[in-house]
C-alpha cells in the first residue's frame, strides 16, 4: 500500500488576522500556499473558506481565532522538505517570530497515511498530542525521526520547531 506523509503545523498569531502586526504574513498566505500546491509531490491541503488572503486561518483551534493550523499531505519526505526548505517558504519560516507567539510545546507533527486518506484537523491534533506525550514514534514524529530528511538540518530548524 502506498503511504503519504501528512503534516500538521499549528501556531498562535500575535494579533487578529486583520491586525497590521500580521498584515505581511496574511498578505502572503495565498502566495505561499499556491507555491506549495504547485510543488512536485504535493497531494492535498486543508483549505479555509477560499477568501483571498485568509489561507487556512478559518481553521482555528478551539475558540481562539488566533490559534491557526496548516495541514498538508505530501508524496514523500523529500517533497515536503523541498517546499519547506528550498523555496520562498523558508524565508517566511525564518521570520515566524514576527507574526507568531513562541510556543513552549511541540507544534509540528508528521505521520504516514494511506494514499487517498484526507486527515482531519482533529486527527492531526491527536497525533501532535501523541508526539508531545511520547516523543518520536512511527505514529507521530518530527524531522529527526526521518533518516531521509536532510534539508531541515541546514534550514535552521530549532529543536522546539522540529
Amino acid at each position: 500500500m502506498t503511504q503519504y506523509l501528512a503534516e500538521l503545523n499549528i501556531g498562535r498569531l500575535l494579533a487578529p488576522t486583520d491586525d497590521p502586526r500580521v498584515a505581511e504574513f496574511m498578505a502572503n498566505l495565498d502566495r505561499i500556499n499556491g507555491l506549495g500546491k504547485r510543488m512536485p509531490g504535493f497531494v492535498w491541503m486543508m483549505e479555509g473558506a477560499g477568501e483571498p488572503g485568509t489561507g487556512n486561518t478559518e481553521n482555528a483551534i478551539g475558540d481562539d481565532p488566533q490559534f491557526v493550523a496548516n495541514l498538508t499531505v505530501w508524496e514523500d519526505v523529500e517533497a515536503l522538505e523541498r517546499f519547506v526548505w528550498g523555496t520562498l517558504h523558508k524565508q517566511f519560516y525564518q521570520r515566524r517570530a514576527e507574526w507568531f507567539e513562541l510556543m513552549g510545546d511541540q507544534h509540528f507533527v508528521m505521520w504516514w497515511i494511506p494514499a487517498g486518506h484526507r486527515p482531519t484537523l482533529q486527527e492531526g491534533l491527536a497525533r501532535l498530542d501523541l508526539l508531545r506525550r511520547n516523543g518520536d514514534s512511527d505514529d507521530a514524529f518530527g524531522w529527526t525521526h526521518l533518516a531521509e530528511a536532510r534539508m531541515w538540518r541546514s534550514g535552521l530548524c530549532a529543536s522546539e520547531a522540529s
Side-chain angles (χ1 to χ4, degrees):
M1 170 175 21
T2 302
Q3 295 276 293
Y4 287 157
L5 184 66
E7 71 79 24
L8 172 70
N9 188 14
I10 66 171
R12 187 166 192 284
L13 291 166
L14 292 172
T17 57
D18 60 353
D19 188 288
R21 292 174 285 175
V22 296
E24 184 179 8
F25 175 78
M26 294 303 297
N28 282 282
L29 273 176
D30 292 342
R31 179 180 178 199
I32 300 300
N33 287 342
L35 173 63
K37 290 176 185 178
R38 292 188 304 275
M39 293 292 295
F42 170 83
V43 175
W44 175 84
M45 173 184 285
M46 175 179 68
E47 298 283 354
E51 294 296 319
T54 62
N56 300 326
T57 57
E58 291 101 356
N59 294 305
I61 299 170
D63 294 329
D64 185 347
Q66 287 173 230
F67 212 152
V68 297
N70 182 283
L71 178 61
T72 59
V73 175
W74 299 83
E75 289 180 359
D76 53 36
V77 174
E78 294 82 6
L80 176 57
E81 274 198 305
R82 277 191 305 274
F83 169 64
V84 172
W85 307 114
T87 69
L88 180 63
H89 177 278
K90 179 180 177 180
Q91 293 175 29
F92 282 85
Y93 176 82
Q94 290 173 327
R95 295 179 58 198
R96 67 195 179 280
E98 294 177 36
W99 307 298
F100 287 90
E101 293 179 2
L102 178 63
M103 295 187 62
D105 288 338
Q106 179 74 21
H107 62 275
F108 174 79
V109 65
M110 295 180 280
W111 69 101
W112 295 107
I113 61 170
H117 176 66
R118 298 296 178 255
T120 64
L121 179 55
Q122 292 71 29
E123 179 184 346
L125 291 171
R127 297 288 180 147
L128 181 59
D129 185 55
L130 183 64
L131 177 61
R132 287 174 174 170
R133 283 192 328 253
N134 302 328
D136 285 333
S137 70
D138 289 340
D139 295 320
F141 46 85
W143 292 110
T144 59
H145 188 71
L146 299 168
E148 64 271 39
R150 299 212 178 357
M151 292 179 75
W152 71 272
R153 296 177 201 283
S154 62
L156 303 175
C157 189
S159 60
E160 68 272 4
S162 64

